[in-house]
Amino acid sequence: MTQTSRKVINLAFTGASGAQYGLRLLQCLLAAGCRVHLMVSRAAQVVIATETELNLPGSPQAMQDYLASHFQAEPDQLLVFGREDWFAPPASGSGAPAPLVICPCSTGTLSALATGASNNLIERAGDVALKERRPLILVPREAPYSELHLDNMLRLTRMGAVIVPASPGFYHQPETIADLIDFIVARLLDHLGLDQALMPRWGDNRVARKLDRPE
């Protein structure tokens, strides 16, 4: 697949717990042949080192090389942009249109997006997605939510963002932590319009039974 034919996804990791969700999503996007523009906050680097065995390098280029190797990405698939890289495509509405997923999304990032702050590239990318009416998917992972958190999520929902809390279901009878992570990642891939085989969609088994034995 050529670089120009790849679907582009903007992806950001921020400092909420739940780094595994973002990393698994990155893995799936690369496996699906997408080109990913990745942004990683400093707090996210700390969380990733705490919650996983990965220890991301500090510079964007070194991080890009490390993650591309770790997930076996093709040379043109993964681009990592720094905290203040204002010339990165997600920083402007003039950049190529692409969805933005912030996974996990810290409550501080929720606040910044709800109030229009653009103090770093992740916040600016979110602001661009909102003003350009581009898909913006936010994956908060906090408990409990304060009134302020809920107000910010409501404001962002009204502005067009989709809030997907990292709250996995259990009706697929998960057996491992990976199954719980895949539940959320599958929903994110659905919202991005990408095929996924991480978990069956609700009703698929019922449809199969009716086709096999019409009532």
Side-chain angles (χ1 to χ4, degrees):
M1 185 179 295
T2 64
Q3 180 172 342
T4 55
S5 64
R6 294 188 187 280
K7 178 166 183 162
V8 177
I9 305 294
N10 296 327
L11 175 62
F13 301 159
T14 61
S17 180
Q20 296 88 344
Y21 291 107
L23 292 167
R24 178 62 166 149
L25 177 59
L26 174 60
Q27 180 184 25
C28 291
L29 292 175
L30 295 173
C34 298
R35 184 175 58 172
V36 179
H37 295 164
L38 180 64
M39 298 157 279
V40 183
S41 73
R42 294 192 185 102
Q45 288 183 256
V46 174
V47 173
I48 289 170
T50 301
E51 296 186 342
T52 77
E53 296 180 353
L54 299 182
N55 191 4
L56 300 185
S59 75
Q61 185 61 54
M63 190 185 303
Q64 176 177 305
D65 294 342
Y66 178 88
L67 289 171
S69 175
H70 182 77
F71 290 121
Q72 300 180 327
E74 295 182 21
D76 66 333
Q77 271 198 280
L78 178 62
L79 299 176
V80 177
F81 295 102
R83 174 183 172 84
E84 296 181 345
D85 190 346
W86 305 118
F87 290 98
S92 174
S94 300
L100 171 62
V101 184
I102 304 181
C103 176
C105 182
S106 67
T107 54
T109 302
L110 282 175
S111 175
L113 296 179
T115 56
S118 294
N119 295 316
N120 56 55
L121 180 59
I122 294 175
E123 294 174 6
R124 173 57 183 168
D127 189 50
V128 168
L130 289 169
K131 78 183 185 71
E132 299 291 331
R133 303 296 194 268
R134 295 174 184 169
L136 173 60
I137 304 172
L138 308 175
V139 186
R141 209 293 325 150
E142 185 61 87
Y145 291 118
S146 72
E147 181 178 351
L148 186 59
H149 301 153
L150 295 169
D151 282 344
N152 287 333
M153 284 189 275
L154 178 59
R155 291 186 67 185
L156 288 164
T157 297
R158 287 173 171 167
M159 285 188 271
V162 175
I163 308 296
V164 183
S167 305
F170 289 84
Y171 53 77
H172 62 309
Q173 298 181 343
E175 297 180 353
T176 66
I177 292 176
D179 291 338
L180 296 174
I181 293 170
D182 280 355
F183 181 95
I184 296 299
V185 173
R187 298 303 311 278
L188 297 175
L189 294 172
D190 284 343
H191 277 280
L192 291 170
L194 295 170
D195 291 335
Q196 60 86 15
L198 300 181
M199 60 171 292
R201 288 184 173 83
W202 184 265
D204 282 357
N205 291 336
R206 176 61 174 150
V207 170
R209 288 196 300 270
K210 287 182 72 67
L211 292 174
D212 183 57
R213 184 180 296 177
E215 296 175 355

